[in-house]
Amino acid sequence: MSTIYTTISDYIDQEVAPALGEWKDDYDMEAIAHDMLEWHSEPHPLGGINANTFGLIVREDLDFWDVAERHENTNQD
């Protein structure tokens, strides 16, 4: 199972910002996160939702650097 993030901000702080490093201000990190994450939940065997397995997970069908390139700020001074 992939890492489950509670918020988009958690993913940005833990994954996006460190990956972009000193160039993070050149990217729309929130847009990257919105593209990269999807909601995940698993039903509990007795009904309802299993609270331990719901949240945001990284989409495995996307490449982080391809998404980041789409959200690079091109209007730099």
Side-chain angles (χ1 to χ4, degrees), residues 1-76:
M1 156 88 35
S2 300
T3 301
I4 298 174
Y5 299 94
T6 306
T7 67
I8 289 174
S9 294
D10 289 342
Y11 177 69
I12 291 170
D13 293 343
Q14 295 172 30
E15 304 294 336
V16 179
L20 298 174
E22 65 185 83
W23 297 281
K24 67 183 180 183
D25 292 334
D26 294 341
Y27 294 85
D28 183 342
M29 293 190 292
E30 189 166 327
I32 293 169
H34 278 280
D35 284 359
M36 289 298 300
L37 296 173
E38 65 184 355
W39 185 255
H40 173 78
S41 63
E42 291 180 13
H44 190 279
L46 301 175
I49 298 291
N50 186 347
N52 294 324
T53 62
F54 77 94
L56 299 162
I57 63 169
V58 176
R59 292 181 53 184
E60 295 183 12
D61 62 330
L62 296 176
D63 178 76
F64 174 84
W65 294 108
D66 290 341
V67 172
E69 183 178 4
R70 287 197 310 264
H71 296 293
E72 184 174 4
N73 297 327
T74 56
N75 296 328
Q76 299 297 318

